[in-house]
Amino acid sequence: MATRKLPYFCVEPTDGELVDLALDYIVEAQTGSVSGLVPEGQRYQLRLITFPDRQAFLDANPECCEVFTRQAVAEHISPAQRDRSNYSGSVRIRATYKVRTNSNQEFYPHNTYTNTRVVHVDKCRQIINL
């Protein structure tokens, strides 16, 4: 069984590299559907038009991405966890998708769906879960 060799050390990615890595991850992980509940308790299911690549995503969402540090109280990562995960940075990505099919137009009357995700990256340019 082959083992994966990790580099002796990794250099932290630049802000631009963090955004590129996060965007590639988001575009690859698109599911094309989402469901939710409205306050009245009704469930809706949306089929979304996904983006074929990073450039199409950026064309539709030019102000999508923000590199940030985890200093806010609600977004704090302990120093021990930073060290353990080899943490480098986080990118907040806000994306708006066009809705292809809406299972419950009465309770979800919008033609677009917007969500925000945070992608964390380590110093070796790998996506990590925190």
Side-chain angles (χ1 to χ4, degrees), residues 83-100:
D83 293 343
R84 216 174 29 253
S85 64
N86 202 21
Y87 174 83
S88 177
S90 299
V91 180
R92 185 178 292 118
I93 299 178
R94 180 182 167 103
T96 299
Y97 296 87
K98 291 182 181 177
V99 174
R100 178 188 314 247

Side-chain angles (χ1 to χ4, degrees), residues 4-11 86 122-126:
R4 182 176 153 214
K5 284 190 155 196
L6 295 176
Y8 181 71
F9 67 91
C10 298
V11 178
N86 202 21
D122 72 8
K123 293 176 185 171
C124 295
R125 294 169 172 76
Q126 300 296 310

Side-chain angles (χ1 to χ4, degrees), residues 39-117:
E40 295 83 1
Q42 297 292 323
R43 177 168 292 283
Y44 61 86
Q45 176 77 27
L46 306 175
R47 287 190 58 225
L48 308 175
I49 298 173
T50 58
F51 301 100
D53 55 37
R54 184 189 331 161
Q55 191 56 53
F57 184 96
L58 285 171
D59 290 345
N61 298 285
E63 301 295 322
C64 67
C65 308
E66 172 190 12
V67 175
F68 68 99
T69 57
R70 309 284 289 178
Q71 301 306 313
V73 173
E75 299 173 333
H76 178 71
I77 298 173
S78 72
Q81 188 175 16
R82 281 176 180 256
D83 293 343
R84 216 174 29 253
S85 64
N86 202 21
Y87 174 83
S88 177
S90 299
V91 180
R92 185 178 292 118
I93 299 178
R94 180 182 167 103
T96 299
Y97 296 87
K98 291 182 181 177
V99 174
R100 178 188 314 247
T101 307
N102 182 347
S103 67
N104 200 336
Q105 187 75 31
E106 177 184 350
F107 289 101
Y108 191 90
H110 314 291
N111 294 322
T112 60
Y113 173 78
T114 301
N115 75 338
T116 302
R117 293 184 61 187

